[in-house]
Amino acid sequence: MPLTPEQDAEIADLRATPRSTLRAVSDGAEKHLYRAMPVLDHGFVRMIDYMGDDAAICQAARVSYGRGTKSVQNDEGLIRYLMRHWHSTPFEMCELKLHVKLPVFVARQWIRHRTANVNEYSARYSILDREFYIPRPEDLAAQSSQNNQGRGDVLGAEESARVLDWLREDAHRAYDHYEAMISDTSPDGGGQQGLARELARMNLPANIYTQWYWKVDLHNLFHFLRLRADPHAQYEIRVYADAICEMVRDWVPAAYRAFEEYRLGGVTLSASGVKCLRRMLAGEEVTQETSGMSAREWREFEAIVGK
Ligand SMILES: Cc1cc2nc3c(=O)[nH]c(=O)nc-3n(C[C@H](O)[C@H](O)[C@H](O)COP(=O)(O)OP(=O)(O)OC[C@H]3O[C@@H](n4cnc5c(N)ncnc54)[C@H](O)[C@@H]3O)c2cc1C
């Protein structure tokens, strides 16, 4: 369960006390504020705060004193121009603060994105909950034979049952020992301190859940989403990126449409790729041997041009 009834009540309380403000407000973001979007079996993403909206991107680009926005069409055209030409700083004027609950092995991939501000739940100070990510059977796949960093076919029923049993058993055994280590260890229960939490936690598996607040500007968030909402990203981080995409689509719809057009749905071609494409458009039969590309580059190029 991602949230307890008490946590749900705290969120409802926050949402029940709106205030008026002079700041830019995005109606799409307001509907997400504080609410948790469930991800995986115990995880979630919650929007805690945001700064700016589509208009703020245009205001920054035009360095305006007032609203700085023109017609909606005009603004959308400007946002698309900025995205198309990699004018990134106006997008940095918008920010998003999220509360994320995620397995530790996902957090290790996520934290590689250095252009964000992070504050993580302290397992030195607090006791971690007995919550582990246990995949659904349909998400348990064999090692891919083509891609060393990917998955192949889904495991058969018998094999997946065996794997799931091991994952559950190992996690709970490790947690039992963690609990025992941090507990009063004296035979009479006379109040002797157990092992420090900062040490006992080293026993816990990488599928235990952690939590953090994560704040990032829109330019770097788009960079994160392009890498992590991509089919090459591991499923367990991709589902978080997909949830964030939903929020961003509502928060800054015009910027998100430009991101979908030029980043998520767009491609980058190498100089050789552009040359080959031009030759192909001129009716020439181009092969890998005549392309000037390696076999792998050629496969990737073919995937782009749909050959
Ligand atoms: C599919 C996939 C597979 C991966 N596999 C591996 C792997 O096997 N091993 C591994 O270690 N990592 C792996 N990574 C992580 C990857 O190499 C990056 O560390 C991660 O995606 C963060 O990207 P970033 O550095 O561009 O992001 P950010 O840290 O958010 O940085 C954004 C941009 O800011 C600039 N920047 C930030 N900090 C600096 C700096 N100190 N100096 C110069 N420029 C900076 C760069 O232009 C950077 O692109 C993988 C990532 C993906 C998506």
Side-chain angles (χ1 to χ4, degrees):
M1 183 175 63
L3 290 180
T4 63
E6 293 75 32
Q7 289 163 341
D8 272 332
E10 280 184 58
I11 291 170
D13 195 33
L14 278 173
R15 289 193 57 84
T17 47
R19 297 190 200 174
S20 65
T21 177
L22 295 176
R23 294 169 52 197
V25 170
S26 155
D27 292 333
E30 293 291 311
K31 79 176 191 200
H32 285 286
L33 267 182
Y34 313 134
R35 290 202 168 112
M37 288 175 84
V39 185
L40 300 178
D41 49 358
H42 301 291
F44 60 72
V45 182
R46 293 201 305 132
M47 186 191 289
I48 298 299
D49 204 356
Y50 67 93
M51 181 167 78
D53 56 2
D54 278 331
I57 299 167
C58 300
Q59 281 173 317
R62 295 181 179 124
V63 194
S64 355
Y65 289 85
R67 291 175 64 80
T69 51
K70 300 201 169 152
S71 70
V72 172
Q73 231 177 356
N74 211 307
D75 279 1
E76 177 133 13
L78 173 60
I79 288 174
R80 288 169 71 87
Y81 176 88
L82 296 169
M83 182 72 75
R84 202 159 61 242
H85 294 281
W86 299 90
H87 288 307
S88 49
T89 42
F91 296 100
E92 291 172 19
M93 301 298 159
C94 292
E95 294 212 347
L96 189 63
K97 181 158 63 181
L98 301 174
H99 176 187
V100 190
K101 184 173 170 195
L102 69 176
V104 165
F105 72 94
V106 176
R108 278 189 66 175
Q109 295 188 343
W110 196 311
I111 202 72
R112 298 301 305 282
H113 296 266
R114 299 156 289 177
T115 42
N117 306 106
V118 187
N119 191 64
E120 187 174 5
Y121 183 88
S122 171
R124 295 182 71 192
Y125 184 83
S126 308
I127 299 173
L128 288 165
D129 290 329
R130 188 189 279 269
E131 279 182 325
F132 306 97
Y133 167 58
I134 305 294
R136 298 174 306 180
E138 60 266 37
D139 297 323
L140 283 178
Q143 173 60 45
S144 164
S145 52
Q146 278 130 37
N147 176 0
N148 285 341
Q149 270 198 341
R151 302 178 192 185
D153 296 333
V154 173
L155 296 186
E158 206 175 303
E159 180 60 1
S160 79
R162 191 165 69 106
V163 169
L164 288 172
D165 280 349
W166 278 340
L167 287 173
R168 280 193 203 99
E169 268 172 38
D170 290 354
H172 287 287
R173 188 174 46 241
Y175 196 90
D176 288 344
H177 291 164
Y178 168 72
E179 258 184 342
M181 285 191 276
I182 58 179
S183 304
D184 174 1
T185 47
S186 54
D188 57 353
Q192 188 180 317
Q193 290 286 345
L195 186 67
R197 289 169 199 153
E198 66 179 14
L199 288 168
R201 65 173 166 177
M202 68 181 145
N203 196 40
L204 293 169
N207 62 344
I208 196 159
Y209 275 85
T210 184
Q211 302 186 34
W212 58 36
Y213 266 43
W214 193 72
K215 181 171 74 68
V216 68
D217 68 57
L218 184 58
H219 164 65
N220 284 296
L221 179 59
F222 278 147
H223 179 68
F224 171 86
L225 294 175
R226 190 173 72 81
L227 292 171
R228 302 302 180 175
D230 185 271
H232 293 99
Q234 176 166 350
Y235 166 78
E236 282 77 13
I237 194 165
R238 191 158 21 98
V239 283
Y240 283 91
D242 289 344
I244 299 171
C245 280
E246 254 185 69
M247 288 179 182
V248 179
R249 187 184 292 126
D250 291 336
W251 168 35
V252 280
Y256 190 81
R257 278 193 291 274
F259 168 65
E260 269 187 321
E261 176 69 9
Y262 299 114
R263 300 285 183 276
L264 268 191
V267 294
T268 307
L269 285 180
S270 65
S272 303
V274 173
K275 268 190 214 148
C276 285
L277 192 59
R278 289 200 174 124
R279 284 163 63 195
M280 288 157 89
L281 287 172
E284 193 182 328
E285 182 65 30
V286 186
T287 62
Q288 191 243 311
E289 288 71 27
T290 62
S291 69
M293 295 187 219
S294 70
R296 186 165 186 176
E297 283 174 321
W298 179 250
R299 267 203 311 279
E300 289 169 7
F301 175 74
E302 281 190 316
I304 289 172
V305 297
K307 260 197 100 194

